[in-house]
Amino acid sequence: MVAPAESTEPSVQAKRRAGMGLGFRPGFLDACANPGCASGWLHLWRSRAAAVFEGGWSCSAACTAERILTAVRREREGRGSVSGRHRHRVPLGLLMLEQGWITAGQLRSALDAQRTSGGRLGQWLVRREGVSENLVTRALSLQWSCPVLPLEYHDAQALAPLVPRLFVDAFGALPLRLAAGKLLYLGFEERLDPVLELAIERMTGLRVESGLVSESEFRPAHQRMLSATFPPTELLETSSEPVLVRALTRVLERSRPVESRLVGVHDCLWLRMWNKAPTGIGADVGSVQDVIATVGG
């Protein structure tokens, strides 16, 4: 005897709790997701064509605002939970010297050039001392305990919907490829950004693995990435937390997405809104909108 289909598939409510980001509209008897909502049986008369935020429906703009306030405070207070600036135990030059990849004379010469003209030590080792760029990249990967990532099969346009263009540009990030529909490889030129990595994981549900890409490969690929078509992005600069909450509430009430989420990225808040339920991994450019918000002071 074959079990009914509903017994083998998770319920919509279970999928919401699991954070799968499904597009849905609340049913007639669904409750408002705001724990402090006091409208009670009046839910029955509310319009179901309302914004969905973090897997739940709000019966009014006031309830949406309360839920956004909770999320904003969660993200702003959680900024210190991610480890701060990475501190390398061994400087790049000494690491390369210990590995036998450069000589003491090459290191002194590159350090002198860096003190005089600025720039990165690795660049001076390559350009002035003739050290292999691959060795510099390998040394940086040892510092960060991360892999050196290749650029094969890089499709900038296919990856553009995953991350706002502002983050690709400002944080020097390069989405490289999706593996098995679950793992996103994220490349950087010199240093990793664990804060951005965690934000992308939380927003997309993908596991993100970061690594380094050699300078000569990274820079042209990064420029191609910046030339791709990204989802539309709205920038919000607000003077205070209450102003931010009001602005985000207006955005959600106006757009009425089928799903939306808020995550913190350094000093920014990233709101992503899905206009329709995704049909595959990630999203397409036309189905999502991003809002990048900051709070002054």
Side-chain angles (χ1 to χ4, degrees):
M1 179 177 179
V2 179
E6 59 268 24
S7 67
T8 60
E9 292 293 330
S11 68
V12 171
Q13 293 287 355
K15 289 181 179 180
R16 287 181 210 172
R17 290 193 295 271
M20 295 175 67
L22 292 178
F24 66 92
R25 288 299 180 191
F28 188 65
L29 296 178
D30 277 358
C32 176
N34 175 25
C37 178
S39 58
W41 63 270
L42 292 176
H43 290 160
L44 299 178
W45 308 108
R46 301 287 185 177
S47 169
R48 264 45 184 172
V52 177
F53 179 64
E54 297 190 343
W57 165 76
S58 298
C59 68
S60 66
C63 284
T64 299
E66 287 191 31
R67 297 192 63 223
I68 290 176
L69 175 60
T70 300
V72 166
R73 289 179 174 172
R74 175 195 71 207
E75 297 303 318
R76 298 191 74 201
E77 291 170 1
R79 283 180 296 181
S81 62
V82 179
S83 58
R85 187 179 179 87
H86 182 84
R87 297 183 180 276
H88 301 304
R89 288 175 293 178
V90 182
L92 178 68
L94 290 180
L95 189 153
M96 296 187 71
L97 188 63
E98 290 178 355
Q99 294 289 333
W101 294 340
I102 59 174
T103 66
Q106 287 175 314
L107 177 56
R108 283 195 298 269
S109 178
L111 287 171
D112 288 342
Q114 184 185 40
R115 280 192 292 268
T116 301
S117 305
R120 302 203 300 260
L121 179 64
Q123 291 177 328
W124 287 113
L125 286 169
V126 172
R127 297 171 187 176
R128 181 166 178 158
E129 302 303 318
V131 176
S132 166
E133 180 189 47
N134 290 334
L135 288 180
V136 172
T137 306
R138 285 177 60 190
L140 288 169
S141 74
L142 289 175
Q143 280 191 318
W144 286 97
S145 300
C146 71
V148 176
L149 299 176
L151 270 177
E152 286 90 351
Y153 312 114
H154 182 236
D155 186 342
Q157 187 54 63
L159 297 165
L162 294 174
V163 186
R165 186 185 188 280
L166 178 64
F167 293 166
V168 173
D169 191 11
F171 303 135
L174 179 62
L176 294 174
R177 64 185 178 278
L178 277 172
K182 298 179 180 179
L183 175 62
L184 172 65
Y185 287 99
L186 190 64
F188 295 88
E189 183 180 359
E190 183 190 17
R191 60 176 64 250
L192 306 188
D193 190 333
V195 175
L196 178 61
E197 177 182 327
L198 178 61
I200 296 173
E201 284 190 339
R202 292 176 60 207
M203 184 63 80
T204 64
L206 299 169
R207 186 165 68 87
V208 178
E209 180 169 335
S210 294
L212 296 174
V213 179
S214 63
E215 178 184 343
S216 61
E217 291 183 312
F218 179 91
R219 294 201 171 185
H222 195 247
Q223 286 301 313
R224 289 195 300 272
M225 192 80 217
L226 291 174
S227 299
T229 301
F230 287 81
T233 301
E234 181 179 353
L235 303 181
L236 288 178
E237 296 182 9
T238 59
S239 58
S240 66
E241 190 174 89
V243 174
L244 171 64
V245 171
R246 289 197 296 271
L248 292 179
T249 300
R250 285 195 298 269
V251 169
L252 280 178
E253 291 294 314
R254 179 184 70 229
S255 300
R256 297 194 172 186
V258 300
E259 173 63 311
S260 57
R261 296 177 187 171
L262 185 76
V263 300
V265 188
H266 296 291
D267 293 328
C268 304
L269 290 169
W270 173 19
L271 173 69
R272 169 154 286 197
M273 298 177 291
W274 283 263
N275 302 320
K276 61 181 180 180
T279 56
I281 299 302
D284 59 82
V285 170
S287 70
V288 295
Q289 302 176 61
D290 289 320
V291 177
I292 311 297
T294 57
V295 181

